[in-house]
Amino acid sequence: MKKILIYLATTLIILAAGAYLILNEKLPSGDNPQKADELANKMLKALNKTAWDSTNVIVWTHKGVHHFVWDKKNQMVEVKWDKNDVFLNLKEWNKGKAFSEGKEITDGQLDVLRGKAWAIFCNDSFWMIAPYKVFDEGVSRKIVKTEDGTEALLASYSSGGVTPGDSYLWFLANDLKPKAYKMWVKILPVGGVKATWDNWKTTETGAIIAQTHILGPMTITIENLHTGNDLTAVKVDATLFDKIK
């Protein structure tokens, strides 16, 4: 019996290693950063980056489980999931508050919930606005020639969010909107995992955002998406963030 278990374990290790070698892609090096900047700017124009920059408030639901009210102008965000309701002041972390089942958390769990809310916000907002972030501080851009002869945009992040060092290879459609990207990120064990960018919506402020991503067998959805110039424009109480100003 022991020999059979050892055999099975060895077989699984070999299969896992084989799958890794087959699925894992090496991060392409890319070149021509000047041309990459030109392509990135064309993509941003197609997505109306100017409208995104002037958008003050965004509300949305990520995969039906995480709910957000983001006051981008004043750098505050509400993150709701399960029984938790966390308010983050992105300028002054000590003002952030957390509630669970309607009761305010004031003990050591406060920092735990604020940290988790921050990680959720970073991940979920990136799935919504990643194309707008290709010129963020610490991002380098290069051109990668694809197998079919087209050009893809490689964006590598040396800072920002919770996983600096990640890279994304953007594939653009004929209208210059992203249709997919491949990822080289710390949270995934293999490089080159592909996700689609589909179901584009022109929001109330004119910003254009993809609402569906197919990632292998998983579908990532962005629902109840609305943008506005203030909280009342997205049907949110204007005093929502007063407690953490």
Coordinates of all heavy atoms in Angstrom, one line a residue, residues 92-181:
E92 N -5.9 59.1 4.7 CA -5.6 59.0 6.1 C -6.1 57.7 6.7 O -7.3 57.7 7.0 CB -6.2 60.2 6.9 CG -5.6 61.6 6.4 CD -6.2 62.7 7.2 OE1 -5.9 62.9 8.4 OE2 -7.1 63.4 6.6
W93 N -5.3 56.7 6.7 CA -5.8 55.4 7.0 C -6.3 55.2 8.4 O -7.2 54.4 8.7 CB -4.6 54.4 6.8 CG -4.5 53.9 5.4 CD1 -3.8 54.6 4.5 CD2 -5.1 52.8 4.8 NE1 -3.9 53.9 3.3 CE2 -4.7 52.8 3.4 CE3 -5.9 51.8 5.2 CZ2 -5.1 51.9 2.5 CZ3 -6.3 50.8 4.3 CH2 -5.9 50.9 3.0
N94 N -5.8 56.1 9.3 CA -6.3 56.0 10.7 C -7.8 56.4 10.9 O -8.4 56.2 11.9 CB -5.4 56.8 11.7 CG -5.4 58.3 11.4 OD1 -5.5 58.7 10.2 ND2 -5.4 59.1 12.4
K95 N -8.3 57.0 9.8 CA -9.7 57.5 9.9 C -10.7 56.4 9.4 O -11.9 56.5 9.4 CB -9.9 58.8 9.1 CG -9.3 60.0 9.7 CD -9.6 61.2 9.0 CE -9.0 62.5 9.7 NZ -9.4 63.7 8.9
G96 N -10.1 55.3 8.8 CA -11.0 54.3 8.2 C -11.8 53.6 9.3 O -11.3 53.3 10.4
K97 N -13.0 53.2 9.0 CA -13.9 52.5 10.0 C -14.4 51.2 9.4 O -14.5 51.1 8.2 CB -15.0 53.4 10.5 CG -14.5 54.6 11.3 CD -15.7 55.4 11.9 CE -15.2 56.5 12.7 NZ -16.4 57.3 13.4
A98 N -14.7 50.3 10.3 CA -15.2 49.0 9.9 C -16.4 48.6 10.7 O -16.4 48.8 11.9 CB -14.1 47.9 9.9
F99 N -17.4 47.9 10.1 CA -18.6 47.4 10.8 C -18.8 46.0 10.4 O -18.5 45.6 9.2 CB -19.8 48.3 10.4 CG -19.6 49.7 10.8 CD1 -19.0 50.6 9.9 CD2 -20.2 50.2 11.9 CE1 -18.8 52.0 10.2 CE2 -20.1 51.6 12.3 CZ -19.4 52.4 11.4
S100 N -19.3 45.2 11.3 CA -19.6 43.8 11.0 C -21.0 43.5 11.7 O -21.2 43.8 12.9 CB -18.6 42.9 11.6 OG -18.9 41.5 11.3
E101 N -21.9 43.1 10.8 CA -23.3 42.9 11.3 C -23.8 44.1 11.9 O -24.6 44.1 12.9 CB -23.4 41.7 12.3 CG -22.9 40.4 11.7 CD -23.1 39.2 12.6 OE1 -22.6 39.3 13.8 OE2 -23.8 38.2 12.3
G102 N -23.4 45.3 11.4 CA -24.0 46.6 11.8 C -23.3 47.2 13.0 O -23.6 48.3 13.4
K103 N -22.4 46.4 13.6 CA -21.7 46.9 14.8 C -20.3 47.4 14.5 O -19.5 46.7 13.8 CB -21.6 45.8 15.9 CG -23.0 45.4 16.4 CD -22.8 44.3 17.4 CE -24.2 43.8 17.9 NZ -24.1 42.7 19.0
E104 N -19.9 48.6 15.0 CA -18.6 49.1 14.7 C -17.5 48.2 15.4 O -17.6 47.9 16.5 CB -18.4 50.5 15.1 CG -17.1 51.2 14.7 CD -17.0 52.7 15.0 OE1 -18.0 53.2 15.5 OE2 -16.0 53.2 14.7
I105 N -16.4 48.0 14.6 CA -15.3 47.2 15.1 C -14.2 48.2 15.6 O -13.7 49.1 14.8 CB -14.7 46.3 14.0 CG1 -15.8 45.4 13.4 CG2 -13.5 45.5 14.6 CD1 -16.4 44.5 14.4
T106 N -13.8 48.1 16.8 CA -12.8 49.0 17.4 C -11.6 48.3 18.0 O -10.6 49.0 18.4 CB -13.4 49.9 18.5 OG1 -14.0 49.0 19.5 CG2 -14.6 50.8 17.9
D107 N -11.6 47.0 18.0 CA -10.4 46.3 18.5 C -9.4 45.9 17.4 O -9.4 46.6 16.4 CB -10.9 45.0 19.2 CG -11.7 44.1 18.3 OD1 -11.6 44.3 17.1 OD2 -12.4 43.1 18.8
G108 N -8.6 45.0 17.7 CA -7.5 44.6 16.7 C -8.1 44.1 15.4 O -7.3 44.2 14.4
Q109 N -9.3 43.8 15.3 CA -9.9 43.3 14.0 C -10.1 44.5 13.1 O -10.3 44.3 11.9 CB -11.3 42.7 14.3 CG -11.2 41.2 14.7 CD -10.6 40.3 13.6 OE1 -9.4 39.9 13.7 NE2 -11.3 40.1 12.5
L110 N -10.0 45.7 13.6 CA -10.2 46.9 12.7 C -9.1 46.9 11.6 O -9.5 47.1 10.4 CB -10.2 48.2 13.5 CG -10.2 49.5 12.7 CD1 -11.5 49.6 11.9 CD2 -10.1 50.7 13.7
D111 N -7.9 46.8 12.0 CA -6.8 46.8 11.0 C -6.9 45.6 10.1 O -6.5 45.7 8.9 CB -5.4 46.9 11.7 CG -5.1 48.2 12.2 OD1 -5.7 49.2 11.8 OD2 -4.2 48.3 13.1
V112 N -7.3 44.5 10.6 CA -7.5 43.3 9.8 C -8.5 43.6 8.7 O -8.3 43.3 7.5 CB -7.9 42.1 10.6 CG1 -8.2 40.9 9.7 CG2 -6.8 41.7 11.6
L113 N -9.7 44.1 9.1 CA -10.7 44.4 8.1 C -10.3 45.5 7.1 O -10.6 45.4 5.9 CB -12.0 44.7 8.8 CG -12.7 43.5 9.5 CD1 -13.9 44.0 10.3 CD2 -13.2 42.5 8.4
R114 N -9.6 46.5 7.6 CA -9.2 47.6 6.7 C -8.2 47.0 5.7 O -8.2 47.4 4.5 CB -8.6 48.7 7.5 CG -9.6 49.6 8.2 CD -9.1 50.9 8.7 NE -8.1 50.7 9.8 CZ -7.8 51.6 10.7 NH1 -8.4 52.8 10.7 NH2 -6.9 51.4 11.6
G115 N -7.3 46.2 6.2 CA -6.3 45.6 5.3 C -7.0 44.7 4.2 O -6.6 44.7 3.0
K116 N -7.9 43.9 4.6 CA -8.6 43.0 3.7 C -9.4 43.8 2.7 O -9.5 43.5 1.5 CB -9.5 42.1 4.4 CG -10.2 41.0 3.5 CD -10.9 39.9 4.3 CE -11.4 38.8 3.3 NZ -12.1 37.7 4.0
A117 N -10.1 44.9 3.2 CA -10.9 45.8 2.3 C -10.0 46.4 1.2 O -10.3 46.5 0.1 CB -11.6 46.8 3.1
W118 N -8.8 46.8 1.7 CA -7.8 47.5 0.8 C -7.4 46.5 -0.3 O -7.3 46.8 -1.5 CB -6.6 48.0 1.5 CG -5.4 48.3 0.7 CD1 -4.2 47.7 0.7 CD2 -5.3 49.4 -0.3 NE1 -3.4 48.3 -0.2 CE2 -4.0 49.4 -0.8 CE3 -6.2 50.4 -0.7 CZ2 -3.6 50.3 -1.8 CZ3 -5.8 51.3 -1.7 CH2 -4.5 51.2 -2.2
A119 N -7.1 45.2 0.1 CA -6.7 44.2 -0.9 C -7.8 43.9 -1.9 O -7.6 43.8 -3.1 CB -6.2 42.9 -0.2
I120 N -9.0 43.8 -1.4 CA -10.2 43.6 -2.2 C -10.4 44.7 -3.2 O -10.6 44.5 -4.4 CB -11.5 43.4 -1.4 CG1 -11.4 42.0 -0.6 CG2 -12.7 43.4 -2.3 CD1 -12.5 41.8 0.4
F121 N -10.3 45.9 -2.7 CA -10.5 47.1 -3.6 C -9.4 47.2 -4.7 O -9.7 47.4 -5.8 CB -10.4 48.4 -2.7 CG -10.4 49.6 -3.5 CD1 -11.5 50.0 -4.3 CD2 -9.2 50.4 -3.5 CE1 -11.4 51.2 -5.1 CE2 -9.2 51.6 -4.3 CZ -10.3 52.0 -5.0
C122 N -8.1 46.9 -4.3 CA -7.0 46.9 -5.3 C -7.3 45.9 -6.4 O -7.2 46.2 -7.6 CB -5.7 46.7 -4.6 SG -5.1 48.1 -3.6
N123 N -7.6 44.7 -6.0 CA -7.8 43.6 -7.0 C -9.0 43.9 -7.9 O -8.9 43.9 -9.1 CB -8.0 42.3 -6.3 CG -8.3 41.2 -7.3 OD1 -7.4 40.7 -7.9 ND2 -9.6 40.8 -7.4
D124 N -10.2 44.2 -7.3 CA -11.4 44.3 -8.0 C -11.4 45.6 -8.9 O -12.0 45.6 -10.0 CB -12.6 44.3 -7.1 CG -12.7 42.9 -6.4 OD1 -11.9 42.1 -6.6 OD2 -13.7 42.8 -5.6
S125 N -10.9 46.7 -8.4 CA -10.9 47.9 -9.2 C -9.9 47.7 -10.4 O -10.2 48.3 -11.4 CB -10.5 49.1 -8.3 OG -9.2 49.0 -7.8
F126 N -8.9 47.0 -10.2 CA -7.9 46.7 -11.3 C -8.6 46.0 -12.5 O -8.4 46.4 -13.6 CB -6.7 45.9 -10.9 CG -5.6 45.9 -11.9 CD1 -4.7 47.0 -11.9 CD2 -5.5 44.9 -12.8 CE1 -3.7 47.0 -12.9 CE2 -4.4 44.9 -13.7 CZ -3.5 45.9 -13.7
W127 N -9.5 45.0 -12.1 CA -10.3 44.4 -13.2 C -11.2 45.3 -13.9 O -11.7 45.0 -15.0 CB -11.0 43.2 -12.6 CG -10.2 42.0 -12.4 CD1 -9.8 41.5 -11.2 CD2 -9.8 41.1 -13.4 NE1 -9.0 40.3 -11.4 CE2 -9.0 40.0 -12.7 CE3 -9.9 41.0 -14.7 CZ2 -8.4 39.0 -13.4 CZ3 -9.3 39.9 -15.4 CH2 -8.6 39.0 -14.8
M128 N -11.5 46.4 -13.3 CA -12.4 47.4 -13.9 C -11.6 48.4 -14.7 O -12.0 48.8 -15.8 CB -13.3 48.0 -12.9 CG -14.3 49.0 -13.4 SD -15.4 49.7 -12.2 CE -14.3 50.7 -11.2
I129 N -10.5 48.9 -14.2 CA -9.9 50.1 -14.8 C -8.4 49.9 -15.2 O -7.7 50.9 -15.4 CB -10.0 51.3 -13.8 CG1 -9.2 51.0 -12.5 CG2 -11.4 51.7 -13.5 CD1 -9.0 52.2 -11.6
A130 N -8.0 48.7 -15.3 CA -6.6 48.4 -15.6 C -6.1 49.2 -16.8 O -5.0 49.7 -16.9 CB -6.4 46.9 -15.8
P131 N -6.9 49.2 -17.9 CA -6.4 50.0 -19.1 C -6.1 51.4 -18.8 O -5.1 52.0 -19.4 CB -7.5 49.8 -20.1 CG -8.3 48.7 -19.7 CD -8.2 48.7 -18.2
Y132 N -6.8 52.0 -17.9 CA -6.5 53.4 -17.6 C -5.3 53.6 -16.8 O -4.8 54.8 -16.6 CB -7.7 54.0 -16.8 CG -9.0 54.1 -17.5 CD1 -10.2 53.6 -17.0 CD2 -9.1 54.7 -18.8 CE1 -11.4 53.7 -17.7 CE2 -10.3 54.8 -19.5 CZ -11.4 54.4 -18.9 OH -12.6 54.5 -19.6
K133 N -4.6 52.6 -16.3 CA -3.5 52.7 -15.4 C -2.1 52.4 -16.1 O -1.1 52.3 -15.4 CB -3.7 51.7 -14.3 CG -4.9 52.0 -13.4 CD -5.1 50.9 -12.3 CE -4.0 50.9 -11.3 NZ -3.9 52.2 -10.5
V134 N -2.1 52.4 -17.4 CA -0.9 52.0 -18.1 C 0.2 53.2 -18.1 O 1.3 52.9 -18.4 CB -1.1 51.6 -19.6 CG1 -1.9 50.3 -19.7 CG2 -1.8 52.8 -20.4
F135 N -0.3 54.4 -17.7 CA 0.7 55.4 -17.5 C 0.9 55.8 -16.0 O 1.4 56.9 -15.7 CB 0.3 56.7 -18.3 CG 0.7 56.6 -19.8 CD1 -0.3 56.3 -20.7 CD2 2.0 56.8 -20.2 CE1 0.0 56.2 -22.1 CE2 2.3 56.7 -21.5 CZ 1.3 56.4 -22.5
D136 N 0.5 55.0 -15.1 CA 0.7 55.2 -13.7 C 2.2 55.3 -13.4 O 3.0 54.7 -14.1 CB 0.1 54.1 -12.9 CG -1.4 54.3 -12.7 OD1 -2.0 55.2 -13.3 OD2 -2.0 53.5 -11.9
E137 N 2.5 56.0 -12.3 CA 3.9 56.1 -11.9 C 4.4 54.7 -11.7 O 3.8 53.8 -11.0 CB 4.0 56.9 -10.6 CG 5.4 57.1 -10.1 CD 5.5 58.0 -8.9 OE1 4.4 58.5 -8.5 OE2 6.6 58.1 -8.4
G138 N 5.6 54.4 -12.1 CA 6.3 53.1 -11.9 C 5.9 52.1 -13.0 O 6.4 50.9 -12.9
V139 N 5.2 52.5 -14.0 CA 4.8 51.5 -15.1 C 5.7 51.8 -16.3 O 5.8 52.9 -16.8 CB 3.3 51.7 -15.5 CG1 3.0 50.7 -16.6 CG2 2.4 51.5 -14.3
S140 N 6.3 50.7 -16.9 CA 7.0 50.8 -18.1 C 6.2 50.1 -19.2 O 5.4 49.2 -19.0 CB 8.4 50.1 -18.0 OG 8.2 48.7 -17.7
R141 N 6.4 50.6 -20.4 CA 5.6 50.1 -21.6 C 6.5 49.7 -22.7 O 7.4 50.4 -23.0 CB 4.6 51.2 -22.1 CG 3.5 51.5 -21.0 CD 3.0 52.9 -21.2 NE 4.0 53.9 -21.1 CZ 4.4 54.4 -19.9 NH1 3.9 53.9 -18.8 NH2 5.4 55.3 -19.8
K142 N 6.2 48.6 -23.3 CA 7.0 48.1 -24.5 C 6.1 47.4 -25.5 O 5.0 47.0 -25.2 CB 8.1 47.1 -24.0 CG 9.2 47.8 -23.1 CD 10.2 46.8 -22.7 CE 11.3 47.4 -21.8 NZ 12.3 46.5 -21.4
I143 N 6.6 47.3 -26.7 CA 5.9 46.6 -27.8 C 6.3 45.2 -27.9 O 7.5 44.9 -27.8 CB 6.1 47.3 -29.2 CG1 5.4 48.7 -29.2 CG2 5.6 46.5 -30.3 CD1 3.9 48.6 -29.2
V144 N 5.4 44.3 -28.0 CA 5.7 42.9 -28.2 C 5.0 42.4 -29.5 O 3.8 42.6 -29.7 CB 5.2 42.0 -27.0 CG1 5.3 40.5 -27.4 CG2 5.9 42.4 -25.8
K145 N 5.8 41.8 -30.4 CA 5.3 41.3 -31.7 C 4.6 39.9 -31.4 O 5.2 39.0 -30.8 CB 6.4 41.1 -32.7 CG 6.9 42.4 -33.3 CD 6.0 43.0 -34.3 CE 6.6 44.2 -35.0 NZ 5.8 44.7 -36.1
T146 N 3.4 39.8 -31.8 CA 2.7 38.5 -31.6 C 2.9 37.6 -32.7 O 3.5 37.9 -33.7 CB 1.2 38.8 -31.4 OG1 0.7 39.3 -32.7 CG2 0.9 39.8 -30.3
E147 N 2.5 36.3 -32.6 CA 2.7 35.3 -33.6 C 2.0 35.6 -34.9 O 2.5 35.2 -36.0 CB 2.2 33.9 -33.1 CG 3.0 33.4 -31.9 CD 2.5 32.0 -31.5 OE1 1.5 31.6 -32.0 OE2 3.1 31.4 -30.6
D148 N 0.9 36.4 -34.9 CA 0.2 36.7 -36.1 C 0.7 38.0 -36.7 O 0.1 38.6 -37.7 CB -1.3 36.8 -35.9 CG -1.7 37.9 -34.9 OD1 -0.8 38.6 -34.4 OD2 -2.9 38.0 -34.5
G149 N 1.8 38.6 -36.1 CA 2.4 39.8 -36.7 C 1.9 41.1 -36.2 O 2.4 42.2 -36.6
T150 N 0.8 41.1 -35.3 CA 0.3 42.3 -34.8 C 1.2 42.7 -33.6 O 2.0 42.0 -33.1 CB -1.2 42.1 -34.3 OG1 -1.2 41.1 -33.4 CG2 -2.0 41.8 -35.5
E151 N 0.9 43.9 -33.1 CA 1.6 44.4 -31.9 C 0.8 44.4 -30.7 O -0.4 44.9 -30.7 CB 2.1 45.9 -32.3 CG 3.1 45.9 -33.4 CD 3.6 47.3 -33.7 OE1 2.8 48.3 -33.4 OE2 4.7 47.5 -34.3
A152 N 1.3 44.0 -29.6 CA 0.7 44.0 -28.3 C 1.4 44.9 -27.4 O 2.6 45.2 -27.6 CB 0.6 42.6 -27.7
L153 N 0.7 45.4 -26.4 CA 1.3 46.4 -25.4 C 1.6 45.7 -24.1 O 0.8 45.2 -23.4 CB 0.3 47.5 -25.2 CG 0.7 48.6 -24.2 CD1 1.9 49.4 -24.6 CD2 -0.5 49.5 -23.9
L154 N 2.9 45.7 -23.7 CA 3.4 45.1 -22.5 C 3.5 46.2 -21.4 O 4.3 47.1 -21.6 CB 4.7 44.4 -22.7 CG 5.3 43.7 -21.4 CD1 4.4 42.6 -20.9 CD2 6.7 43.2 -21.7
A155 N 2.7 46.1 -20.4 CA 2.8 47.1 -19.2 C 3.3 46.4 -18.0 O 2.7 45.4 -17.6 CB 1.4 47.7 -19.0
S156 N 4.4 46.9 -17.5 CA 5.0 46.2 -16.3 C 5.0 47.2 -15.1 O 5.4 48.4 -15.3 CB 6.4 45.8 -16.6 OG 6.4 44.8 -17.6
Y157 N 4.6 46.7 -14.0 CA 4.4 47.6 -12.8 C 5.5 47.4 -11.8 O 5.6 46.3 -11.2 CB 3.0 47.3 -12.1 CG 1.9 47.7 -13.0 CD1 1.5 47.0 -14.1 CD2 1.1 48.9 -12.6 CE1 0.4 47.4 -14.9 CE2 0.1 49.3 -13.4 CZ -0.3 48.5 -14.5 OH -1.4 48.9 -15.3
S158 N 6.3 48.4 -11.5 CA 7.3 48.3 -10.5 C 6.8 48.7 -9.2 O 7.5 48.5 -8.1 CB 8.6 49.1 -10.9 OG 8.2 50.5 -11.0
S159 N 5.7 49.3 -9.1 CA 5.1 49.8 -7.8 C 3.6 49.9 -8.0 O 3.0 49.7 -9.1 CB 5.7 51.1 -7.5 OG 5.3 52.1 -8.4
G160 N 2.9 50.1 -6.9 CA 1.5 50.3 -6.9 C 0.7 49.1 -6.5 O 1.1 48.0 -6.6
G161 N -0.5 49.3 -5.9 CA -1.4 48.2 -5.5 C -0.8 47.4 -4.4 O 0.0 47.8 -3.6
V162 N -1.1 46.1 -4.4 CA -0.6 45.2 -3.4 C 0.4 44.2 -4.0 O 0.9 43.4 -3.3 CB -1.8 44.4 -2.7 CG1 -2.5 45.4 -1.8 CG2 -2.6 43.7 -3.6
T163 N 0.6 44.2 -5.3 CA 1.5 43.2 -5.9 C 2.3 43.9 -7.0 O 2.3 43.6 -8.2 CB 0.7 42.1 -6.6 OG1 -0.3 42.6 -7.6 CG2 0.0 41.2 -5.6
P164 N 3.2 44.8 -6.5 CA 4.2 45.4 -7.5 C 5.0 44.3 -8.1 O 5.4 43.3 -7.5 CB 5.0 46.4 -6.7 CG 4.8 45.9 -5.2 CD 3.5 45.3 -5.2
G165 N 5.4 44.5 -9.4 CA 6.2 43.6 -10.1 C 5.4 42.8 -11.1 O 6.0 42.0 -11.9
D166 N 4.1 43.0 -11.2 CA 3.3 42.3 -12.1 C 3.4 42.9 -13.5 O 3.7 44.1 -13.7 CB 1.8 42.3 -11.7 CG 1.6 41.5 -10.4 OD1 2.5 40.7 -10.0 OD2 0.5 41.6 -9.8
S167 N 3.1 42.0 -14.6 CA 3.1 42.5 -15.9 C 1.9 42.0 -16.7 O 1.4 40.9 -16.4 CB 4.4 42.0 -16.7 OG 5.6 42.6 -16.1
Y168 N 1.5 42.8 -17.6 CA 0.3 42.5 -18.4 C 0.5 42.8 -19.9 O 1.0 43.9 -20.2 CB -0.9 43.3 -17.9 CG -1.2 43.1 -16.5 CD1 -0.5 43.9 -15.5 CD2 -2.2 42.2 -16.0 CE1 -0.8 43.7 -14.1 CE2 -2.5 42.0 -14.7 CZ -1.7 42.7 -13.7 OH -2.0 42.5 -12.4
L169 N 0.2 41.8 -20.7 CA 0.4 42.0 -22.2 C -1.0 42.2 -22.8 O -1.8 41.3 -22.9 CB 1.1 40.8 -22.8 CG 1.4 40.8 -24.3 CD1 2.4 42.0 -24.6 CD2 2.0 39.5 -24.8
W170 N -1.2 43.4 -23.3 CA -2.6 43.8 -23.8 C -2.6 43.5 -25.3 O -1.8 43.9 -26.1 CB -2.8 45.3 -23.6 CG -3.0 45.7 -22.1 CD1 -2.0 46.1 -21.3 CD2 -4.2 45.6 -21.4 NE1 -2.6 46.4 -20.0 CE2 -3.9 46.1 -20.1 CE3 -5.5 45.2 -21.7 CZ2 -4.9 46.1 -19.1 CZ3 -6.5 45.3 -20.7 CH2 -6.2 45.7 -19.4
F171 N -3.7 42.9 -25.7 CA -4.1 42.6 -27.1 C -5.2 43.5 -27.5 O -6.3 43.5 -26.8 CB -4.4 41.2 -27.3 CG -3.3 40.2 -26.9 CD1 -3.3 39.7 -25.7 CD2 -2.3 39.9 -27.8 CE1 -2.3 38.8 -25.3 CE2 -1.3 39.0 -27.5 CZ -1.3 38.5 -26.2
L172 N -5.1 44.3 -28.5 CA -6.1 45.3 -28.8 C -6.9 44.9 -30.1 O -6.4 44.3 -31.0 CB -5.5 46.7 -29.1 CG -4.6 47.2 -28.0 CD1 -4.1 48.6 -28.3 CD2 -5.2 47.2 -26.6
A173 N -8.2 45.2 -30.0 CA -9.1 44.9 -31.2 C -8.9 46.0 -32.3 O -8.1 47.0 -32.1 CB -10.5 44.9 -30.7
N174 N -9.6 45.9 -33.4 CA -9.4 46.9 -34.5 C -9.8 48.3 -34.0 O -9.3 49.3 -34.5 CB -10.2 46.5 -35.7 CG -9.7 45.2 -36.3 OD1 -8.5 44.9 -36.2 ND2 -10.5 44.5 -37.0
D175 N -10.7 48.4 -33.1 CA -11.2 49.7 -32.6 C -10.2 50.2 -31.5 O -10.5 51.3 -30.9 CB -12.6 49.7 -32.1 CG -12.8 48.7 -30.9 OD1 -11.8 48.1 -30.5 OD2 -14.0 48.6 -30.5
L176 N -9.1 49.5 -31.2 CA -8.1 49.8 -30.2 C -8.6 49.7 -28.8 O -7.8 50.0 -27.9 CB -7.6 51.2 -30.5 CG -6.9 51.4 -31.8 CD1 -6.5 52.9 -32.1 CD2 -5.6 50.5 -31.9
K177 N -9.7 49.1 -28.6 CA -10.1 48.7 -27.2 C -9.5 47.4 -26.9 O -9.3 46.5 -27.8 CB -11.6 48.6 -27.1 CG -12.4 49.9 -27.2 CD -13.9 49.6 -26.9 CE -14.8 50.8 -27.0 NZ -15.0 51.1 -28.4
P178 N -9.1 47.1 -25.7 CA -8.5 45.8 -25.3 C -9.5 44.7 -25.5 O -10.7 44.9 -25.3 CB -8.2 46.0 -23.8 CG -8.0 47.4 -23.6 CD -9.0 48.1 -24.5
K179 N -9.0 43.6 -26.1 CA -9.9 42.4 -26.2 C -9.4 41.3 -25.2 O -10.2 40.4 -24.9 CB -9.9 41.9 -27.6 CG -8.5 41.5 -28.2 CD -8.7 41.1 -29.7 CE -7.3 40.7 -30.2 NZ -7.4 40.3 -31.7
A180 N -8.2 41.4 -24.8 CA -7.7 40.4 -23.8 C -6.3 40.9 -23.3 O -5.7 41.8 -23.9 CB -7.6 39.0 -24.5
Y181 N -5.9 40.2 -22.2 CA -4.5 40.4 -21.8 C -4.0 39.1 -21.3 O -4.8 38.2 -20.8 CB -4.2 41.6 -20.9 CG -4.8 41.6 -19.5 CD1 -5.3 40.4 -18.8 CD2 -4.9 42.8 -18.8 CE1 -5.8 40.5 -17.6 CE2 -5.4 42.8 -17.5 CZ -5.9 41.7 -16.9 OH -6.4 41.7 -15.6

